[in-house]
Amino acid sequence: MKNRWIAALLAVAAISAPAFCLAAPDPVVIGAVIAQTGPVSSLGEGEVKAINMYAKDVNAKGGIAGHPLKVVILDSAGDPQKAVLNVRKLISEDNVAGVICCTTTPESMAIIDTVQRAEVPTISLGSAATIAEPVSERHWVFKPSPTDAIMIGVEVGDMKKRGVKTVGYLGFNTALGHAGLTEFQKAAPAAGIKIVNVEQFAPSDTNLSAQGAKLAAANPDAVLIIANPPGANVAQKAIQAAGYKGTIYQTYGVTNETYLRLGGASLNGTRISVPPITVYNHLPDSRPFKPVVEKFVKDYKAAFNGEVPSNFAAFAYAGIRIFSTVAGNELSGGKAKLSDTASFRKALRDGIENLHGFQSVNGTYNFSKTDHVGLDASSITMVTVENGEYVVAH
């Protein structure tokens, strides 16, 4: 009889054992769609590295309020249609709490309807203000990179300060170029600067001699180029080959190793408005975000054999850090449960919108119900390119 009781107790214990074991906490799943291949892969490479580096660091420190951070990254190849398909997959199959997408403005614009309908908080890495504006039509979309309006505004201010009276324009015929041109056409006349010529081209174009010749013939005091490498390099070389000797402005979309390597000494004197990462070793102590910038650069260089992160890596790092910080706030306070995906997504969205004074690698974020970018011109610096380096102009 005694043996039968012992056997019965052991059987009950065996059946019940899993219930007494501590179940592994569910992960916080964030999806990302990045251009890892294709014409803008030089931008996406750093983005993927930064996201993975952050996730590894967070998990090594115990995760987000005890939950591991899981990141699912898919490749868009810079193709808006592929970006949409991959975002749908992340939402429907991977049940992600939030999405980081995409590397470029055209991709980011293409997915807006998808994430708005699915009610999934999304952080874009593109540059155009229209990605996150108007907020009334972008309830679920945020953009931690500075807008083209902010960056172009700083460049137009630099032009005015240097006495530029006439300017030409050469940019992509994509959403990136159209958005930038729109902001330029607002800012330049307001500063008393006349736009004397506008030329556009496709990112895949390799011969811009016709556009370069027209701009050189117009001979403005300065030319603004809005494009990404390698197209930005093709555009600058075409203008210079046509004999133009004035000042060339580019936007921060060129600030990666590819642009410097392809342009070489021909880039000397080019003026660019840049976010903090580009001048990480020249930031004054008065910038409150300086410690965050320095830690990011130090960790990134240590993880990737001394490689200095690009601005695009910084945007991605800011994106995953924002999601992680807000998720931690919500889970620690018990205000949201991971098991209720819809409610957790809403909590993330609302938490981002209420994030104020958040120091980041891109500056100080102050999101609100009317501002899903959260940055202003106070984090931006004007630089010139000199012998393969960015030199602070002011």
Side-chain angles (χ1 to χ4, degrees), residues 7-19:
L9 288 171
L10 289 174
V12 170
I15 293 171
S16 304

Side-chain angles (χ1 to χ4, degrees), residues 26 28 58 61-67 323-338 344 347-348:
D26 292 332
V28 176
V58 164
K61 295 176 180 174
I64 303 171
H67 297 266
F323 268 136
S324 175
T325 299
V326 175
N329 293 342
E330 298 299 324
L331 292 170
S332 298
K335 292 178 285 186
K337 303 293 184 184
L338 271 176
F344 190 67
L348 280 183

